[in-house]
Amino acid sequence: PYELWNINNFIQYVNLAFNNLTGQIPDEICSIFFASNFNFTNNQICPPYTSCIENIVGQQDTSNCP
């Protein structure tokens, strides 16, 4: 959900791996200073990936992406 990107900066690590997440990651994630502490691997997140996370998005199943 969009509200996830509005979380307070006290969280140090967010593991979203293996959650069947779909769609795209909004550019607003880049405003979170700890974006590199996210784990998005093994979901169904579609490219294009925003520049701040393109190296950490990990393996994705993009077979259903437009």
Side-chain angles (χ1 to χ4, degrees):
Y2 181 79
E3 291 79 19
L4 178 63
W5 315 125
N6 293 323
I7 56 179
N8 294 326
N9 61 8
F10 64 89
I11 296 176
Q12 294 182 4
Y13 185 78
V14 177
N15 186 350
L16 300 173
F18 297 96
N19 278 291
N20 293 317
L21 299 176
T22 61
Q24 292 182 314
I25 299 172
D27 293 337
E28 288 82 7
I29 188 110
C30 294
S31 65
I32 301 174
F33 76 93
F34 56 90
S36 64
N37 291 334
F38 277 86
N39 182 356
F40 297 106
T41 60
N42 293 296
N43 285 292
Q44 298 172 24
I45 299 171
C46 294
Y49 305 121
T50 187
S51 62
C52 71
I53 59 117
E54 66 184 348
N55 292 329
I56 62 166
V57 74
Q59 182 176 350
Q60 301 296 319
D61 175 1
T62 58
S63 61
N64 292 321
C65 292

